[in-house]
Amino acid sequence: MADLSISFAGIKSPNPFWLASAPPTNSGAQVMRAFELGWGGAVWKTLGNPIVDTSSRFGSLDVGGQRMVGFNNIELITDRPLEVNLREIAEVKRRFPDRAVVVSLMVESKEDWRDIIKATVDTGCDGLELNFGCPHGMCERGMGSAVGQEPEVLKVVAGWAVEYSPIPVLIKLTPNVGDILEPGVAAVAAGVHGLSLINTIKSLIGVDLDRMVPYPVVGGRSTNGGYCGPAVKPIALHMVAALARDPRITVPISGIGGIATWRDAAEFIALGATSVQVCTAVMHYGFRIVEDMIEGLSNFLDAKGMKSVSELRGKALPAFTEWGDLDLNYKVVAEVDPETCIGCDLCYVACRDSAVSCIHVGDEPLAEGHRAPTRERAIAAARRDGRTAHVVWVDESECIGCNLCSAVCPVPGCITMKDVTGAPFESWNDRIAKGTAKVPGGLEDWRAARSGKR
Amino acid sequence: MATHETLIQLDRLERAFPDLKPLYGDGDAVAEANRCLYCHDAPCTAACPTGIDVPTFIRKIATGNARGAARVILSANLLGYSCARVCPVEVLCAGACVYNDWHRPPIQIGRLQRYAVEKAFDDGQAGTLFRRAPATGKKVACVGAGPASLSLAGYLALAGVDVTLFERRAIPGGLNTTGVAPYKMHVDGALREVDFVRSLGITIQEGVEVGSEVRAEDLARDFDAVFIGVGLGQDTSLGIPGEDGPGVYGATAWIERMKLEPGFAVLGVACGAVIGGGNTAIDAARELSRLSVPHVLMVYRRTAEEMPGFRHEMDAARREGVRLVEKAVPKEFIRQDGRLVGILLDDGRRIPADLAVVAIGQTRPRDLAAQFPGVEVDPGGRIVVDRATCRTGNPKIYAGGDAVRGGDLVVTAAQDGKRAARAICRALGVQIAVDAALNAGHQ
């Protein structure tokens, strides 16, 4: 069984699964229940000067009957007195000394940062996470994402924390920026010990079309919230990877954003994360999900012959490059398995309306000289159980290998992308270097043709 | 105008039967609709005799546009409500669903269709789903007010034709009203649909029999076209000793009494025997079983494999306790003191029975057909028509449904009505708008 333990900037954790600073980490009772079920760490719901919250606060994006594909909140930081939180943090750490207890903080003035850091460190917690990410409510007061969006301000405030804290300081970054490298590099320059991202994305989750008020409805009004959940994972993965591959980022990264399963976690770790943080999936299903995350990741590492989770870290990073470095001679074509095709023709209509019409149904003719290796099998497979199914086949001479058909196919494994590469590696950047990058048919040719007519 | 509340009583035996497939709530319907793959050129649509665009209506349910779903359904089939409830979807749309090839349960198309149409009926606005063309001055008469006639009449009314249906019973709807297995649909369901078609602007004259109260030649003279949609006639009898008398019923007559006759009951029956192997026979057997008759036997002259009834219906009947007696030809109904006690078969076997339902077919409408010059019947008594137009040998007279098919589905009768409506519009020079409901679905 693979070793799942990690050390994040010196913070030890029996596994990489931490709870993100959010409603599930609002109290000692919650965090202790989570630790009992196996969570490796928790980032306490942000401490600061207590606030007042609204009712309601959350909104869900549902897609095709699937609830909470995306999730939106307008909740602020902790609404509990500082003393109570500090006492419970100390109690949790005392009872679970092997777990990572990180405390999220958000205040405004230098003096406040000094005092809250001192008070928090005295609990015996393992680290601090500065909340420079919250994109709703707190940012209107000059905190949260208001800090994270200004690299110079971020650097100054982070510098105070590094100065006052004897324990590791993490910065939680906001994704509401043009280039995540700017705040990331500024934080590292300030001397912080780790980065966590992404915080939520500024959002309006939807509109109540009867009341004509966006969600979540607070009386007759609403406001923008922070967006999270499975739908934000691709954005988070990109930002984590963009930082992880940059040589200026020399500190560990805690990946956050739509992580619900061990597979999601493995992807973040493969792109450079050391720990991962989970919130929405817990809000949806409860703390119990960590059991499968631990077992699933362990089984995966065993199956891949990796002895520890650290072997997985960054494994997919070398393959993440610029577009200009991709192999233009790499070629795949779709192949539909006629025996498992159920004849829904979703690939057919997708290819016809959004790609190149290379998918054909039944005994449609094959163009002269084109290749369609599965056509005969498809025609045979279409006759089943006394009726005709719309089994499809691919004209490989027309297929551009875009993946759309395999994305829409409801049957797992029915459409595969077959490697038919026939030429050596050559990227766009290679072509620029060789001076062969011109693609005919552009404005230059148009101008030339026009001047020739004159 | 009579509405269904005034036509039926509450103490009908059929009300003891709950729906086998209950009405979906909003949440169930959307969840099931979201399972639908939204196939292109979908096999479910191809399998529907009327050509309802199934994936399109299901997607509308998924998006919360149930009214739009009802419009899509009813445009291709004005009787989409009863069809949703009585169609053998297992051998039609749902049987063609691509999920079957994936070894997964097919989409519950019938239940989704019922949900959409019933919602439209419930909001009271179903009559405004379609635009009605201006009056053309053309007049069409229908003989009978069953599914084929109602389908035809609704489409013609939308095209601006004045349609009058002459129904010999006091209650309209034909077999949908009198003959549907009550665990599929009750009488009030059928009458809701009649009310919907009526709201499109048709006239139904109940209790008027063509041939007695109204003469066939008057219809042929006074109307621009006549449609014969009378279905079938009386239950066929076996013609064996002991058949006349208490305890032996014709199947459709028995079902009609169970569905409509106030106070009708099935009490103290220990063994019910249904004679026949078609869908009416299976219906009657399932009904007896569901009425808690302890022993229900189906008595069929051939073997299970040769039964004309649907396999899925027979399987359901067996699951409900119905037993099949094969190669069983009744020779005599045995009576003691006038009371039915059993059936003697021609091979000497005796079957105990204190109730017998004879479901071996119904008579054909020869007599009515004979009243219209030029209308021919085939040797089986079915009215002969051109299938594409439903036109008989008399260019003014059309026919469809069971009178032509000799015992088929509601959905095929609905399609006959639609075909005949198109043909009548063409024959009378009635313009059909490009976006008219009459253009929807299969040709």
Side-chain angles (χ1 to χ4, degrees):
Chain A
M1 191 164 151
D3 177 13
L4 295 188
S5 69
I6 59 161
S7 173
F8 186 105
I11 302 172
K12 300 270 192 293
S13 174
N15 63 53
F17 302 112
W18 295 359
L19 292 166
S21 170
T25 59
N26 198 28
S27 70
Q30 288 168 290
V31 175
M32 284 192 277
R33 188 159 63 246
F35 282 173
E36 279 164 11
L37 289 168
W39 288 89
V43 184
W44 208 273
K45 170 112 175 157
T46 308
L47 308 187
N49 287 306
I51 48 71
V52 178
D53 268 316
T54 61
S55 168
S56 59
R57 302 172 205 177
F58 302 136
S60 169
L61 177 75
D62 306 333
V63 178
Q66 175 67 49
R67 304 285 275 164
M68 284 173 66
V69 169
F71 195 64
N72 176 79
N73 85 91
I74 60 168
E75 187 172 289
L76 304 182
I77 63 174
T78 185
D79 57 354
R80 306 162 81 233
L82 188 60
E83 276 300 328
V84 175
N85 276 313
L86 294 173
R87 192 172 65 235
E88 291 181 4
I89 292 165
E91 178 67 13
V92 167
K93 189 61 206 179
R94 192 181 63 76
R95 287 211 212 171
F96 293 90
D98 67 325
R99 310 302 168 92
V101 178
V102 177
V103 180
S104 175
L105 302 176
M106 185 201 290
V107 285
E108 203 174 353
S109 70
K110 186 175 182 182
E111 189 183 18
D112 279 358
W113 279 109
R114 183 193 66 205
D115 292 349
I116 203 166
I117 287 170
K118 179 174 186 336
T120 306
V121 168
D122 285 348
T123 63
C125 68
D126 301 296
L128 305 176
E129 183 185 87
L130 311 194
N131 181 342
F132 291 172
C134 181
H136 49 90
M138 303 311 291
C139 53
E140 294 175 19
R141 306 175 194 185
M143 292 178 277
S145 63
V147 179
Q149 287 170 328
E150 296 293 340
E152 289 308 310
V153 179
L154 180 156
K155 203 156 134 185
V156 170
V157 180
W160 297 340
V162 170
E163 180 189 339
Y164 295 135
S165 173
I167 58 176
V169 173
L170 285 64
I171 301 292
K172 187 163 178 179
L173 296 176
T174 175
N176 300 293
V177 293
D179 179 2
I180 197 66
L181 286 168
E182 290 184 11
V185 168
V188 173
V192 304
H193 310 96
L195 299 174
S196 43
L197 74 160
I198 59 173
N199 204 307
T200 56
I201 302 166
K202 204 165 201 169
S203 59
L204 274 184
I205 195 76
V207 178
D208 181 333
L209 289 174
D210 295 316
R211 291 202 266 181
M212 281 300 163
V213 184
Y215 291 114
V217 175
V218 181
R221 297 179 175 179
S222 189
T223 188
N224 78 272
Y227 186 52
C228 56
V232 311
K233 191 182 94 175
I235 297 167
L237 279 176
H238 166 253
M239 290 188 169
V240 166
L243 290 170
R245 73 171 177 175
D246 192 291
R248 291 168 295 178
I249 305 300
T250 53
V251 298
I253 295 170
S254 188
I256 312 168
I259 296 163
T261 68
W262 62 267
R263 190 176 284 276
D264 298 328
E267 290 176 17
F268 274 87
I269 295 167
L271 287 173
T274 297
S275 72
V276 294
Q277 297 182 27
V278 179
C279 167
T280 310
V282 165
M283 292 183 73
H284 198 163
Y285 300 113
F287 295 128
R288 60 195 166 137
I289 61 171
V290 76
E291 186 272 334
D292 183 67
M293 298 178 98
I294 292 168
E295 183 183 53
L297 182 62
S298 176
N299 287 346
F300 169 75
L301 293 173
D302 289 347
K304 295 291 179 191
M306 297 188 208
K307 294 200 165 35
S308 74
V309 68
S310 56
E311 281 187 52
L312 173 62
R313 190 178 311 131
K315 211 130 180 115
L317 267 184
F320 173 46
T321 71
E322 305 296 328
W323 189 94
D325 291 328
L326 298 178
D327 182 4
L328 297 177
N329 286 336
Y330 177 69
K331 170 86 175 144
V332 290
V333 291
E335 185 166 272
V336 182
D337 174 18
E339 278 72 44
T340 54
C341 173
I342 57 173
C344 69
D345 288 4
L346 286 177
C347 59
Y348 169 84
V349 76
C351 189
R352 185 195 66 189
D353 290 358
S354 303
V356 293
S357 295
C358 75
I359 296 182
H360 301 271
V361 181
D363 56 3
E364 283 178 18
L366 176 66
E368 187 70 34
H370 283 204
R371 268 179 57 79
T374 65
R375 182 172 178 272
E376 298 308 317
R377 275 169 60 214
I379 293 170
R383 290 189 287 275
R384 48 175 76 158
D385 304 333
R387 57 196 182 81
T388 305
H390 298 196
V391 175
V392 299
W393 48 272
V394 176
D395 183 334
E396 288 187 359
S397 310
E398 294 169 344
C399 179
I400 54 172
C402 71
N403 278 358
L404 178 62
C405 54
S406 66
V408 302
C409 179
V411 182
C414 178
I415 301 185
T416 48
M417 304 305 291
K418 191 170 66 172
D419 188 343
V420 294
T421 304
F425 185 101
E426 185 190 35
S427 72
W428 181 251
N429 289 339
D430 290 339
R431 287 194 191 177
I432 290 175
K434 283 190 272 181
T436 58
K438 180 178 181 295
V439 181
L443 281 170
E444 205 178 302
D445 294 343
W446 177 75
R447 285 190 204 99
R450 213 171 50 147
S451 64
K453 270 185 200 152
R454 277 202 192 120
Chain B
M1 187 174 78
T3 60
H4 65 261
E5 285 83 1
T6 61
L7 286 171
I8 52 174
Q9 308 294 319
L10 284 177
D11 55 343
R12 289 173 288 119
L13 185 55
E14 73 156 358
R15 296 185 74 235
F17 295 86
D19 286 352
L20 214 51
K21 294 178 179 175
L23 177 65
Y24 274 140
D26 292 341
D28 305 326
V30 171
E32 182 64 9
N34 274 316
R35 284 182 65 227
C36 176
L37 296 175
Y38 197 25
C39 292
H40 169 76
D41 192 11
C44 47
T45 295
C48 174
T50 64
I52 291 174
D53 187 344
V54 174
T56 295
F57 96 69
I58 291 181
R59 184 167 165 78
K60 286 175 187 292
I61 291 174
T63 70
N65 180 12
R67 182 171 165 82
R71 182 189 56 75
V72 169
I73 294 160
L74 295 171
S75 60
N77 180 357
L78 282 177
L79 303 192
Y81 182 65
S82 56
C83 288
R85 303 195 59 177
V86 309
C87 259
V89 294
E90 294 82 352
V91 297
L92 296 173
C93 52
C97 178
V98 297
Y99 270 114
N100 294 298
D101 280 353
W102 204 3
H103 310 291
R104 297 184 179 201
I107 302 299
Q108 298 281 307
I109 298 169
R111 295 185 72 180
L112 288 169
Q113 183 167 319
R114 175 184 177 186
Y115 164 82
V117 181
E118 194 154 329
K119 220 171 161 61
F121 284 1
D122 283 346
D123 76 8
Q125 300 298 309
T128 62
L129 282 167
F130 304 106
R131 204 173 50 246
R132 201 179 161 188
T136 58
K138 302 293 182 187
K139 287 168 62 186
V140 171
C142 294
V143 187
S149 293
L150 286 167
S151 168
L152 169 110
Y155 282 115
L156 286 181
L158 290 173
V161 176
D162 187 39
V163 192
T164 304
L165 293 81
F166 298 94
E167 169 58 52
R168 67 181 172 86
R169 293 170 193 273
I171 191 164
L175 268 184
N176 265 354
T177 302
T178 64
V180 170
Y183 44 82
K184 292 181 181 168
M185 182 169 69
H186 290 182
V187 171
D188 37 337
L191 294 177
R192 285 194 84 179
E193 181 169 79
V194 173
D195 287 346
F196 159 67
V197 179
R198 220 194 284 260
S199 76
L200 304 177
I202 65 170
T203 304
I204 304 177
Q205 293 196 16
E206 289 101 344
V208 178
E209 180 159 20
V210 174
S212 50
E213 283 89 348
V214 175
R215 294 193 310 168
E217 62 231 59
D218 294 341
L219 293 186
R221 184 192 63 229
D222 296 343
F223 291 86
D224 298 298
V226 176
F227 179 80
I228 303 173
V230 292
L232 301 173
Q234 305 280 316
D235 291 300
T236 308
S237 59
L238 287 158
I240 58 175
E243 193 166 5
D244 294 331
V248 180
Y249 297 87
T252 63
W254 181 79
I255 292 170
E256 179 172 348
R257 290 182 70 185
M258 175 187 55
K259 288 179 69 73
L260 279 159
E261 185 178 303
F264 182 75
V266 174
L267 294 173
V269 175
C271 186
V274 178
I275 296 141
N279 286 313
T280 304
I282 300 173
D283 278 0
R286 294 184 71 185
E287 285 152 13
L288 287 172
S289 182
R290 286 168 173 270
L291 284 169
S292 303
V293 171
H295 301 283
V296 180
L297 302 173
M298 281 182 70
V299 178
Y300 179 52
R301 58 184 165 147
R302 298 196 182 96
T303 62
E305 287 67 39
E306 296 164 277
M307 286 177 69
F310 291 121
R311 165 70 66 87
H312 68 269
E313 288 283 344
M314 191 59 217
D315 289 346
R318 288 181 194 273
R319 284 195 298 274
E320 291 160 12
V322 172
R323 284 183 294 155
L324 178 67
V325 184
E326 294 173 295
K327 296 184 178 173
V329 180
K331 192 176 174 187
E332 181 185 346
F333 288 100
I334 309 163
R335 294 181 181 276
Q336 279 177 4
D337 307 325
R339 197 169 58 85
L340 182 70
V341 292
I343 303 169
L344 175 66
L345 304 181
D346 67 352
D347 57 7
R349 284 181 289 171
R350 287 170 71 119
I351 291 167
D354 42 8
L355 175 78
V357 177
V358 180
I360 57 168
Q362 294 166 261
T363 60
R364 303 283 158 77
R366 295 173 198 273
D367 295 348
L368 183 83
Q371 296 175 37
F372 292 95
V375 175
E376 294 173 17
V377 296
D378 68 12
R382 293 174 291 239
I383 296 173
V384 178
V385 296
D386 166 46
R387 277 293 162 101
T389 60
C390 292
R391 190 147 76 173
T392 68
N394 180 332
K396 239 181 133 171
I397 316 290
Y398 298 75
D402 281 357
V404 165
R405 297 168 175 271
D408 204 342
L409 305 172
V410 175
V411 68
T412 51
Q415 179 67 359
D416 283 350
K418 187 167 75 180
R419 284 196 181 129
R422 287 173 180 153
I424 289 171
C425 284
R426 276 196 301 275
L428 302 184
V430 172
Q431 293 294 316
I432 304 170
V434 176
D435 61 347
L438 199 40
N439 284 323
H442 292 326
Q443 283 306 304

